DNA sequence: CACCAGGGTGGTT
DNA sequence: AACCACCATGGT
């Protein structure tokens, strides 16, 4: 049976259960969290969120008015604190200037995505996370885990991000499904699956025990995972 | 101790 | 277009 993203989604959901993402009280908090969690585990990002809340800085004007150094100290636990402090200020300025969350909500998904990508520190993944979890738009979030998963079940192929996005969206296009999918892919990346029978598509880590079920081969001088079909 | 964690940017080949 | 160094903390 050919690999099927919906089938994978159902397996992941059955194994890990609903993830209830995004852990935030409001859309702006999602945006801030999306920046703080860049190349950082959620625990440390959450320390930054909590510190911002303690100082009542988790709002646009708060982030705009606070001193750069004070902001850096506040989010230090999240790592990359100098970079992220600047990014949060950029983000807060943008949201404030756009009429707040309600103002942003008026834009179409492509228009909003374009504006987010124009900001320093917001790349494709962060923009899509914001669109999906802060604005509930049906967007496919593509991260390294999903790319790795795709490679594992398909072997080496030329699928780029746009093609991967289209392939996923063809089978999962509801906001609730895409919300759950990304959360499950991330949750799965942290778990070396030992319980699920050979599913061939539940595990992402190269160290996963289940990886033994896939054939590791070499193509074009690179180690890749052969297709698992059959 | 090394390695990882829910990326993005700017510069170089 | 593909690589690279860099940003930097806290947990295992």
């Amino acid at each position: 049976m050919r690999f099927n993203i919906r089938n994978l989604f159902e397996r992941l959901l059955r194994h890990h259960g609903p993830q209830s993402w995004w852990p935030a009280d409001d859309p702006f908090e999602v945006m801030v969290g999306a920046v703080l969690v860049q190349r950082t585990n959620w625990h440390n990002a959450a320390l930054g969120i909590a510190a911002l809340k303690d100082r009542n800085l988790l709002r646009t004007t708060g982030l705009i008015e606070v001193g750069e150094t004070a902001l850096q100290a506040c989010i230090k636990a999240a790592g990359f604190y100098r970079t992220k402090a600047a990014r949060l200020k950029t983000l807060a300025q943008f949201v404030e200037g756009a009429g707040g969350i309600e103002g942003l909500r008026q834009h179409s998904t492509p228009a909003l995505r374009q504006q987010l990508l124009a900001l320093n520190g917001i790349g494709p993944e962060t923009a899509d996370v914001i669109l999906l979890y802060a604005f509930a738009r049906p967007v496919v979030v593509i991260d390294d885990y999903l790319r790795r998963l795709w490679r594992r079940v398909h072997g080496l192929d030329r699928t780029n991000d746009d093609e991967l996005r289209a392939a996923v969206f063809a089978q999962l296009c509801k906001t609730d499904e895409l919300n759950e999918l990304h959360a499950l892919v991330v949750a799965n990346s942290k778990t070396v699956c030992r319980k699920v029978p050979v599913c061939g598509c539940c595990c992402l880590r190269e160290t996963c025990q289940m990886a033994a079920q896939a054939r590791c081969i070499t193509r074009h001088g690179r180690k890749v995972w052969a297709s698992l079909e059959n």
Side-chain angles (χ1 to χ4, degrees), chain A residues 24-206:
Chain A
D25 294 337
D26 58 74
F28 187 66
E29 186 177 327
V30 174
M31 300 175 89
V32 171
V35 169
L36 290 181
V37 81
Q38 289 170 350
R39 278 275 91 177
T40 303
N41 58 43
W42 177 253
H43 174 74
N44 288 341
L47 293 177
I49 296 277
L52 289 172
K53 283 183 176 176
D54 280 347
R55 293 159 215 269
N56 192 25
L57 290 177
L58 200 45
R59 48 197 177 80
T60 55
T61 51
L63 289 176
I64 290 168
E65 292 166 7
V66 70
E68 187 91 13
T69 306
L71 181 54
Q72 290 174 2
C74 196
I75 63 172
K76 192 175 179 188
F80 300 95
Y81 58 88
R82 279 188 281 264
T83 303
K84 288 175 180 176
R87 289 178 180 181
L88 288 185
K89 279 191 161 291
T90 298
L91 184 64
Q93 285 283 1
F94 166 69
V95 175
E96 182 66 18
I101 298 299
E102 294 314 311
L104 289 174
R105 217 186 278 286
Q106 306 304 317
H107 295 93
S108 68
T109 299
L112 190 47
R113 188 172 198 271
Q114 191 173 4
Q115 294 180 67
L116 289 169
L117 288 176
L119 301 178
N120 197 329
I122 307 285
E125 185 172 342
T126 304
D128 288 339
V129 159
I130 289 172
L131 289 170
L132 177 58
Y133 294 103
F135 294 95
R137 305 297 171 89
V139 168
V140 180
V141 177
I142 296 181
D143 59 7
D144 274 346
Y145 297 128
L146 186 58
R147 295 188 191 99
R148 204 189 306 174
L149 175 56
W150 183 266
R151 285 197 302 273
R152 174 160 297 178
V153 296
H154 280 173
L156 181 63
D157 65 12
R158 302 277 174 173
T159 305
N160 61 34
D161 284 356
D162 287 336
E163 292 165 343
L164 177 52
R165 181 176 288 106
V168 172
F169 198 75
Q171 296 188 7
L172 297 174
C173 61
K174 291 180 163 45
T175 294
D176 289 348
E177 294 170 336
L178 295 166
N179 174 317
E180 202 63 46
L181 175 67
H182 177 60
L184 286 167
V185 167
V186 173
N188 191 61
S189 72
K190 300 172 186 166
T191 307
V192 177
C193 162
R194 297 169 194 280
K195 298 177 183 174
V196 181
V198 181
C199 64
C201 56
C202 66
C203 303
L204 300 172
R205 287 183 181 280
E206 301 299 335

